[in-house]
């Protein structure tokens, strides 16, 4: 068995690996898997177009490296020094040139690149990505060859088996000939789902036919404890094992001395989510997949009602820790959004005589959802109630959009108010303008805004 192992390159032989999973494999989950004993961790699939659109930022506050979409300031990929020797970034692609370019964008911060050739979702298939490449082996090989030539780190691919074992072996031999360091094999076809048995005998035959590491995947249904990972490895005769669904439910499956109680796993996950400013919807999605039936308990019900990372952390007695951390991080959001606007050749300035004559009261302030846990606390609601209490005309909002960013102006009592900060959606932009108006109405003072990281 050939293994590309030296001081600088990742080895795929005899490893236990966190498999790529969409929306699950963000930085907190990858770090959690490493904490519990995983040897290698894959990212979720990241599409080549988005990676190419990113700029690299050293995030001093989080001690991370961020790849940020220039169009809307979204963090597409966040990594850190802790995982650099072990993280493999999976690319979704249908084009050799784009795949190579995307791989080069992130090459300096990851240990390996993987090309997704196994995803059966319609989004991937319609775009010629994922499992669609299984039926276009020439393009699949061209993509792998291009990426292998473009980067100095190991390149792999992850596939599903075909209906016929001989056809699958033939395809794998072609893929291996491109110079990839390993091949991950999910033992089901594109049409099969977890209810179907994993074709372990296919994986074993492929392992025997190739002279590079083969990574077995698809055995989660039989993997309940760590010892089952070793059984799966032996049954498939593979070099390494890649785990998805079992790790998604309880990441401590990687611990050789036994799994941890689920609430401990969730607390450990939340520590990473807070430390690396993971967005609340993603953190909630990951925890929801861990909880499963526990969602029906009182704590589960409160969790489902939560809308912010702070609220989630409160349920696991980490609320104070989260609040303390987030105050230090809020200013980053100003900086990242400013870069996005600058890279868009600046937001278009309206220059009509009518608009120039209408003075707008403006502050650079940001709407932070977690500061307003109750509906009545929301700035728009607070402004509406203030207007009713003082018998004023109701506020009216006008929102403009540039690319994927929004800025709103609220007209209230014959005055206009706006934040110069561009938000990611219309609702947030309207809340931002309401904050400015409430400040001028002396509902929010400068100290309140500075302490909570609202004011830039």
């Amino acid at each position: 068995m050939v293994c590309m192992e030296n001081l600088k390159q990742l080895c795929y032989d005899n490893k236990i690996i966190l498999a790529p999973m969409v929306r699950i494999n963000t930085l907190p989950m990858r770090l959690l898997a490493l904490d519990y004993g995983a040897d290698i961790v894959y990212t979720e699939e990241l599409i080549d177009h988005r990676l190419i659109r990113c700029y690299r930022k050293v995030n001093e506050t989080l001690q991370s490296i961020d790849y940020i979409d220039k169009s809307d300031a979204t963090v597409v990929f966040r990594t850190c020094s802790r995982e650099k020797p072990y993280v493999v970034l999976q690319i979704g692609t249908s084009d050799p040139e784009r795949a190579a370019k995307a791989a080069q964008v992130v090459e300096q911060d990851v240990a390996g690149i993987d090309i997704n050739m196994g995803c059966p979702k319609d989004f991937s298939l319609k775009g010629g990505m994922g499992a669609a490449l299984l039926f276009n082996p020439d393009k699949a090989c061209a993509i792998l060859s291009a990426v292998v030539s473009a980067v100095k780190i190991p390149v792999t691919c992850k596939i599903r088996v075909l209906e016929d074992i001989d056809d699958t072996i033939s395809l794998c031999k072609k893929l291996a000939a491109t110079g990839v360091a390993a091949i991950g094999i999910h033992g089901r076809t594109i049409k099969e789902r977890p209810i179907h048995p994993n074709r372990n005998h296919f994986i074993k035959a492929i392992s025997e036919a190739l002279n590079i590491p083969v990574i077995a995947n698809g055995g989660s249904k039989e993997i309940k404890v760590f010892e089952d990972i070793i059984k799966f490895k032996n049954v498939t005769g593979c070099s390494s094992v890649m785990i998805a669904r079992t790790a998604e439910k309880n990441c401590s499956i990687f611990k050789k001395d036994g799994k941890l109680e689920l609430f401990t796993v969730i607390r450990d996950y939340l520590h990473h989510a807070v430390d690396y400013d993971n967005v609340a919807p993603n953190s909630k999605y990951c925890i929801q997949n861990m909880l499963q039936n526990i969602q029906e308990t009182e704590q589960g019900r409160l969790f489902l009602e939560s809308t912010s990372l702070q609220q989630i952390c409160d349920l696991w007695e980490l609320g104070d820790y989260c609040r303390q951390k987030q105050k230090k991080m809020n200013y980053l959001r100003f900086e990242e959004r400013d870069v996005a606007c600058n890279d868009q050749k600046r937001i278009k300035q309206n220059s009509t005589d009518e608009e120039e004559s209408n003075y707008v009261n403006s502050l650079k302030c940001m709407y932070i959802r977690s500061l307003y846990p109750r509906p009545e606390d929301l700035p728009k609601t607070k402004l509406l109630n203030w207007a009713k209490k003082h018998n004023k005309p109701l506020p009216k909002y006008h929102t403009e959009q540039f690319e994927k960013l929004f800025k709103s102006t609220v007209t209230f009592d014959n005055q206009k108010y706006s934040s110069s900060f561009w938000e990611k959606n219309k609702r947030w932009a309207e809340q931002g303008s309401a904050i400015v108006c409430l400040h001028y109405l002396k509902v929010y003072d400068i100290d309140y805004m500075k302490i909570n990281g609202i004011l830039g």
Side-chain angles (χ1 to χ4, degrees):
M1 186 69 65
V2 177
C3 180
M4 299 176 63
E5 183 168 32
N6 58 41
L7 291 176
K8 294 184 178 180
Q9 287 196 309
L10 186 63
C11 173
Y12 292 88
D13 193 22
N14 197 30
K15 296 294 190 292
I16 298 175
I17 302 168
L18 177 68
M21 293 178 283
V22 174
R23 294 183 67 189
I24 297 293
N25 286 34
T26 47
L27 181 57
M29 187 63 74
R30 300 195 304 267
L31 291 175
L32 191 66
L34 290 174
D35 289 345
Y36 291 152
D39 298 307
I40 298 172
V41 290
Y42 277 53
T43 70
E44 61 179 335
E45 177 193 36
L46 300 173
I47 305 303
D48 53 9
H49 286 290
R50 290 205 76 191
L51 287 170
I52 292 169
R53 211 161 56 215
C54 287
Y55 69 92
R56 180 182 187 270
K57 172 183 171 60
V58 178
N59 189 326
E60 299 290 353
T61 301
L62 300 183
Q63 294 296 296
S64 67
I65 302 295
D66 297 347
Y67 285 84
I68 301 173
D69 191 323
K70 296 175 184 177
S71 69
D72 63 3
T74 300
V75 178
V76 175
F77 173 55
R78 173 165 286 161
T79 186
C80 64
S81 59
R82 162 84 171 91
E83 71 166 358
K84 183 176 179 180
Y86 317 105
V87 64
V88 175
L89 186 141
Q90 187 183 69
I91 297 175
T93 185
S94 63
D95 180 81
E97 184 177 349
R98 282 202 313 271
K101 190 173 181 180
Q104 288 175 329
V105 168
V106 297
E107 177 183 6
Q108 63 183 304
D109 294 307
V110 298
I113 297 291
D114 182 77
I115 302 300
N116 185 351
M117 298 185 177
C119 181
K121 301 274 180 75
D122 285 344
F123 169 79
S124 291
L125 298 179
K126 289 177 181 177
M129 303 182 294
L133 293 171
L134 299 177
F135 307 100
N136 193 342
D138 289 342
K139 178 179 279 190
C141 289
I143 289 171
L144 291 177
S145 295
V147 179
V148 168
S149 298
V151 298
K152 297 178 181 179
I153 56 177
V155 177
T156 61
C157 62
K158 184 172 181 289
I159 73 168
R160 282 178 172 252
V161 298
L162 304 175
E163 289 285 353
D164 182 79
I165 191 168
D166 292 330
D167 290 344
T168 309
I169 293 172
S170 176
L171 172 64
C172 288
K173 286 182 176 179
K174 290 178 182 178
L175 299 176
T178 64
V180 292
I183 297 179
I185 313 286
H186 185 116
R188 295 183 182 86
T189 68
I190 186 174
K191 295 181 180 179
E192 292 174 335
R193 294 297 175 263
I195 61 170
H196 298 99
N198 206 51
R199 303 190 187 202
N200 293 338
H201 60 296
F202 275 46
I203 300 175
K204 186 170 185 179
I206 296 166
S207 297
E208 293 171 350
L210 300 185
N211 64 350
I212 59 173
V214 170
I215 306 166
N217 182 225
S220 278
K221 194 158 61 173
E222 285 75 43
I223 296 175
K224 308 299 181 187
V225 294
F226 182 85
E227 289 73 19
D228 294 333
I229 300 174
I230 307 305
K231 291 179 184 176
F232 182 55
K233 181 176 185 294
N234 293 334
V235 166
T236 57
C238 63
S239 303
S240 298
V241 172
M242 181 178 277
I243 306 170
R245 292 180 185 275
T246 297
E248 174 186 354
K249 294 172 184 176
N250 188 327
C251 197
S252 66
I253 188 67
F254 293 106
K255 287 178 64 67
K256 293 181 181 179
D257 55 352
K259 289 195 295 185
L260 298 174
E261 190 264 341
L262 186 58
F263 278 28
T264 299
V265 175
I266 292 174
R267 281 178 59 86
D268 289 348
Y269 170 83
L270 282 171
H271 267 286
H272 288 309
V274 170
D275 287 346
Y276 287 98
D277 199 26
N278 202 50
V279 294
N282 179 256
S283 298
K284 185 173 181 179
Y285 178 80
C286 291
I287 295 172
Q288 200 166 352
N289 280 277
M290 296 183 210
L291 286 174
Q292 299 182 78
N293 293 336
I294 302 176
Q295 295 177 57
E296 299 172 7
T297 65
E298 177 65 16
Q299 186 169 13
R301 183 185 63 78
L302 292 172
F303 165 74
L304 292 176
E305 293 174 355
S306 64
T307 58
S308 70
L309 191 58
Q310 287 183 9
Q311 289 174 327
I312 296 171
C313 285
D314 279 332
L315 295 172
W316 276 273
E317 300 176 352
L318 290 171
D320 290 342
Y321 179 75
C322 180
R323 280 181 279 276
Q324 183 181 20
K325 284 279 187 177
Q326 287 196 332
K327 283 182 181 179
K328 297 178 181 179
M329 298 174 184
N330 281 337
Y331 84 90
L332 286 172
R333 298 179 177 91
F334 287 106
E335 184 181 342
E336 290 166 1
R337 204 68 51 80
D338 282 347
V339 172
C341 292
N342 289 335
D343 280 359
Q344 299 274 0
K345 304 299 184 182
R346 272 300 181 194
I347 304 299
K348 292 185 291 185
Q349 299 295 320
N350 296 320
S351 59
T352 64
D353 293 339
E354 178 184 359
E355 288 176 322
E356 287 179 348
S357 65
N358 291 332
Y359 178 76
V360 178
N361 299 286
S362 181
L363 288 173
K364 185 179 180 182
C365 64
M366 175 174 56
Y367 170 67
I368 301 172
R369 179 67 183 87
S370 60
L371 294 178
Y372 314 99
R374 301 178 303 170
E376 59 268 30
D377 295 330
L378 293 169
K380 282 185 66 178
T381 304
K382 194 174 281 287
L383 178 58
L384 180 64
N385 291 336
W386 196 97
K388 291 177 179 178
K389 180 179 178 180
H390 293 83
N391 296 315
K392 298 290 186 180
L394 300 184
K396 294 182 179 180
Y397 295 86
H398 171 74
T399 304
E400 56 182 308
Q401 179 178 358
F402 181 76
E403 298 290 342
K404 296 182 180 180
L405 299 175
F406 299 82
K407 187 170 75 168
S408 182
T409 300
V410 60
T411 300
F412 180 68
D413 200 19
N414 297 317
Q415 294 287 318
K416 292 185 177 183
Y417 305 89
S418 180
S419 171
S420 59
F421 183 79
W422 289 71
E423 294 282 5
K424 294 182 182 180
N425 63 57
K426 181 181 177 182
R427 295 189 305 276
W428 289 16
E430 290 177 348
Q431 298 286 4
S433 63
I435 291 172
V436 177
C437 184
L438 289 166
H439 164 68
Y440 279 93
L441 295 173
K442 303 188 184 305
V443 177
Y444 296 147
D445 62 27
I446 289 292
D447 289 341
Y448 164 82
M449 297 167 77
K450 286 182 177 179
I451 289 171
N452 286 285
I454 297 173
L455 194 64

